[in-house]
Amino acid sequence: MRPALAVTGFLLKRLLFAAGTLLAVSLAVFAATEILPGDVAGAVLGQSATPEALAALRASMHLDLPASVRYLHWLGGMVTGDVGHSLVNNRPVSELIGSRLPNSLLLAGAATAFCVPIGLLLGICSAMRPTSVFDRVTSVATLSIVAVPEFFIGTLAVLVFAVNLRWFPALTLSPRIDSVEGFFRSMTLPVLSLSGIIIAQIMRMTRAALLDVLRRPYVEMARLKGVVGARLVLFYALPNALGPIANALALSLSHLLGGAIIIETIFNFPGLAKLLVDAVSTRDMPLVQACTMLFCLAYLILGTLADIAGMLANPRLRAS
Amino acid sequence: MSPKNGYSSSGVTPRLAPADDAALRDAIRRGATRRQLLAWCGGLGLGAAAATPLIGSARAAVAETPQRGGKLRVAGATASTTETLDPARGTDSTDYSRHYMFYNGLTTLNEALAPQPTLATSFETNDATTWVVKLRSGVQFHDGSPLTAADVVYSLARHKDPATGSKVRAVAMQMADIKATGKNEVTITLSGPNSDLPVILGVSHFLIIKNGTKDFSTANGTGPFRCKSFEPGIRSIAVRNENYWKPGQPYLDEIEMVGIPDSAARVNAALSGDIQLAAAMPVAAARQLERAPGLKIMETKGGTYTNICMRLDQAPTDNLDLVLACKYLFDREQIRRTIFRNYAVIGNDQPIDPTNRYFAADLPQRPYDPEKAKFHLAKSGFGSSLSVTVSPAAFASEDIAQLWQQSAKAAGLDLTLRRVPADGYWTNQWMKHPVTFAATNARPTADLILSIYFKSDAPWNESGWKSPKFDQLLVAARGEQDHAKRKQMYADMQEMISNEAGVGIPVFRSVLDAHSDKLKGLRPVPLGNLMGYTFPDNVWLTA
């Protein structure tokens, strides 16, 4: 089979699988939101909730309908392209997400552009000379970085670069892309705070995957035939290691979209993770669902891309 | 470099002609340097020695005279998708502040929480039951339509509809009838006499919106600023309303308001100068903020407190001696000093704070007294450990409980702390156990606090205290129009609560805001942060 056909067939299978996954996730999330104590009416009224006010507000939000009816109603809307309105402030969910998605994409994009090359390069260099001084230093450094929590790095960065040196603002109220200077001013601290752990993860995964491949007999064979150094690693070992590396990348990157809650809190960055946390704490079902669907979709897409990259890079998988 | 204002010359202070004085102030406002100003004074024939005090006093005057222009960035202490432009549903200080940008109330509360006429020019009544409200004429909404009685009727009456989700529905229900009795006149008939109506209508929930408004994606009010953009949980941008009815106001061109829930991030934003006004600074950061160049701290004292609710209808706290023992075991001075770093006022187990005009100053202060507590504890016969529920939902409750736990040991009372999460606290924990913590924001009137938290049939009667005598007194005081008589009634009620109810109030905590020293016009209003949320049309920026 030609590679293009193989990829198309694979994509079709993946598409079906993705639809099933999304459905299952939406059911699970709905059930979980139902189990949580309290509901959106209680969250809106807060301390000022009297039983009568609660009942009235619930009725006006259609929370008095059975859970199954509400779920099917939401699903019906979703299928026809209507993601619904936030129960809390009655604004369209698409608008709420739309105002934050570009910010989260920008953060994820900038972090990716910064971290992936560095992580890959460090990983490859370490794998080429395992147990060398360079390898040991990078290993110790990355392990230490992984051990330091993001909130510590982020807070430290703010104290040093924003409060004391005043090079960058302490907050990223609106990520700017209208000028190079604005972009660097608003994005440098959040990206730097995020990047430590991501670079470390990519570097460790690349190193481990490459070393694993370098121990295989065919590499030994190539080495005996006189292929050495960068040529051996880049052209013989790397293609076979790309699959696992791409998957590790996908996992790190999909985390960037919805999992950057700590960075979003420290820099008051208006991203999707905060939106989801808000939505859960106010039990705003349509918003929770839309956010989780989006994150799930991002995981699926990135995972699929990683698999395709692995297939295309690997001569044996490509052939089968 | 700024000249000292306290300069004293040898008795003769040179003065400038009014026109020159105005020109000097103008130059300062435009940001002229000291050198330029001295040169300008030199042109009038004044040497540096004579000119320096003139420039100094002109600078001081400029700082005190409101100036137009400038963009202010404000940080509220909360950010959530629950944020709304519907005043009736406003949940927190970020919402309230925003509402004062876009809307006006019939009245506004000043530093003494006395109502100032705003959209209403007068409130008239003979019996405190039927009120005739005259409206200001010539006021326009942002869409250009004039303010009419119908707008006021709609704005007030909608609170009574449960589907509105109003936070003040319980208070609004006393307005039995609200009708327009003229183009600029509304008559409100209450279900019973209430002398406080003009005060109550000054809170943000009762701000006036356009008749028939259902869509709150933007704000159409009569307020000092127009809504340029609003993204709940992120930010709002308010721009000057050129048609505002107060001449010369507002002073600012634009206010950007963001919510920064993380207090460390809020402090950092204030320190780095990204924000010129930040609400609700943690007391732990107060010293650091005071030392920071260009920053000031504003302390607002008021009726905000964290309290202990001891249920009088549940064992073991149904024993008044045990309750009294608990109250004698607060080391209030220590709580004030260690937890609130002196940004608090000692409380006396009753909810009216010293900034309120009905505060009972004569009521003897309950001390920390382990001996008295031992006596009451022995009388109560309680010998086991008392479980106390604390949660981050009730501000500083865990800290207060820990000190209480320590100071209670002196009388041999063993307290165990039960820590529960903030999520769902008010629905599932608060008042559901014998001893829980609660937190309350300042309320504009003594009557509101007492009605909400102490009336026998109040849904949030936190200790389950039932006293028909108190209820009668409360209703009588509400309708009483003689100040001295009313004050005595409120003093009696405070004494009853302090001695009989199951509520312990160790301190009233102040709220702290940080602001740039270039921001002028801020004054504490005891209702809460940011000038009782009413800063938008009162503040200005100096160059």
Side-chain angles (χ1 to χ4, degrees), chain B residues 20 31 61 64 111 224 239 241 269 307 442 493 527:
Chain B
D20 290 335
E64 293 317 312
E111 295 100 306
V239 292
N241 172 11
N307 63 306
M493 284 187 268
L527 211 46

Side-chain angles (χ1 to χ4, degrees), chain B residues 21 67 97-98 106 146 160 173 348 381 408 411 418 462 498:
Chain B
D21 195 37
Q67 284 173 248
S97 304
R98 209 168 259 149
L106 292 175
K160 297 202 278 181
M173 290 310 281
N348 203 7
R418 197 175 140 261
E462 293 182 317
S498 183

Side-chain angles (χ1 to χ4, degrees), chain B residues 87-284:
Chain B
R89 278 199 183 196
T91 26
D92 49 48
S93 58
T94 308
D95 265 345
Y96 305 157
S97 304
R98 209 168 259 149
H99 297 162
Y100 279 108
M101 294 175 199
F102 306 129
Y103 307 100
N104 288 126
L106 292 175
T107 58
T108 312
L109 304 180
N110 70 1
E111 295 100 306
L113 295 186
Q116 305 297 303
T118 308
L119 289 183
T121 50
S122 69
F123 272 76
E124 280 159 27
T125 185
N126 294 320
D127 54 1
T129 304
T130 307
W131 293 78
V132 177
V133 184
K134 290 265 194 301
L135 301 179
R136 194 175 292 279
S137 55
V139 176
Q140 271 187 6
F141 281 94
H142 297 160
D143 67 357
S145 59
L147 170 77
T148 64
D151 301 318
V152 174
V153 172
Y154 175 76
S155 302
L156 299 184
R158 66 193 287 267
H159 290 277
K160 297 202 278 181
D161 178 3
T164 304
S166 168
K167 295 282 173 137
V168 289
R169 180 162 181 267
V171 181
M173 290 310 281
Q174 65 182 300
M175 295 189 277
D177 185 49
I178 308 161
K179 61 171 183 285
T181 43
K183 185 167 166 281
N184 280 318
E185 189 186 281
V186 174
T187 302
I188 301 171
T189 312
L190 303 181
S191 51
N194 189 343
S195 310
D196 287 331
L197 184 69
V199 184
I200 293 170
L201 294 181
V203 302
S204 77
H205 296 108
F206 287 111
L207 292 173
I208 302 303
I209 60 174
K210 182 76 200 157
N211 186 11
T213 308
K214 290 256 191 287
D215 172 27
F216 288 95
S217 55
T218 187
N220 180 24
T222 58
F225 294 88
R226 291 165 187 273
C227 179
K228 186 175 158 196
S229 73
F230 169 60
E231 299 164 81
I234 306 179
R235 105 194 63 208
S236 63
I237 295 178
V239 292
R240 179 207 296 278
N241 172 11
E242 296 292 350
N243 294 330
Y244 194 43
W245 55 272
K246 286 190 195 172
Q249 278 173 274
Y251 307 118
L252 298 165
D253 289 335
E254 191 179 306
I255 303 179
E256 178 178 356
M257 177 130 197
V258 294
I260 309 179
D262 186 55
S263 65
R266 211 158 59 244
V267 170
N268 284 333
L271 286 173
S272 68
D274 291 346
I275 295 285
Q276 287 92 48
L277 175 61
M281 292 290 114
V283 284

